[in-house]
Amino acid sequence: MRALVVAAIWLSMTLAVAAAPSTPAAVFRVFGLFGTWAADCARPASLRNPYVRDFLNDAGAVAEEHHFGLGYAANHYDVLSAKRLSATEVELEVRFEPGDEAVHRQTLVMRVADGRRRTLFNQPAGGKVRVKDGVALGLGVETPTLRKCE
């Protein structure tokens, strides 16, 4: 009987891993991340109310843009990988192109639930942690909770 229980647990774990989404697009679909997000969708994009748009680019890869309103260039991110950490957390490896010659790889962890998302962790490759436990370390403030605008 014990061997049967162990075999059943092993099989369910194997099936769960096999069923886990393996591409960034699949993970984004599972978490409902495609679309536009803002702290206040009724107000225009600004430095205090950035709009974040997740979409499939022309090559079919997941991309993200951060819009800060008139007079500001959008930040562009290419999602290199996405991994489900739990039912409400996802880890992303992204390439950030800030509009200059520099390209930065970053690791992000977000909590996504109930039509809301929030950055919990951010660290550039080879750099210092910028966000830890949902707090932007350089500013000492919590990262904003964004709501899906659609």
Side-chain angles (χ1 to χ4, degrees):
M1 180 68 166
R2 184 177 214 177
L4 184 58
V5 170
V6 170
I9 291 170
W10 176 84
L11 180 60
S12 66
M13 289 172 46
T14 302
L15 291 174
V17 169
S22 59
T23 67
V27 173
F28 270 60
R29 283 187 191 96
V30 166
F31 279 91
L33 286 167
F34 287 116
T36 301
W37 302 78
D40 185 348
C41 298
R43 293 182 29 231
S46 68
L47 289 176
R48 292 180 187 233
N49 190 45
Y51 273 56
V52 175
R53 183 172 77 100
D54 294 296
F55 59 97
L56 291 175
N57 64 21
D58 292 339
V62 177
E64 183 170 281
E65 293 178 341
H66 293 198
H67 296 273
F68 302 99
L70 297 175
Y72 295 96
N75 288 338
H76 300 277
Y77 297 83
D78 293 319
V79 179
L80 305 174
S81 68
K83 177 173 57 172
R84 181 182 189 150
L85 299 178
S86 72
T88 60
E89 290 185 8
V90 61
E91 179 181 281
L92 307 176
E93 293 294 327
V94 301
R95 183 176 57 228
F96 170 50
E97 297 183 36
D100 57 23
E101 293 300 315
V103 174
H104 310 279
R105 285 181 168 272
Q106 297 180 5
T107 300
L108 300 156
V109 174
M110 291 187 296
R111 178 175 297 128
V112 184
D114 301 322
R116 294 175 293 176
R117 71 187 252 180
R118 183 165 173 243
T119 300
L120 301 177
F121 178 85
N122 175 278
Q123 181 176 22
K128 293 182 179 181
V129 173
R130 292 182 181 166
V131 175
K132 184 176 180 185
D133 299 325
V135 175
L137 299 179
L139 302 171
V141 298
E142 289 188 354
T143 58
T145 296
L146 305 180
R147 289 166 179 72
K148 197 154 193 186
C149 294
E150 290 124 5

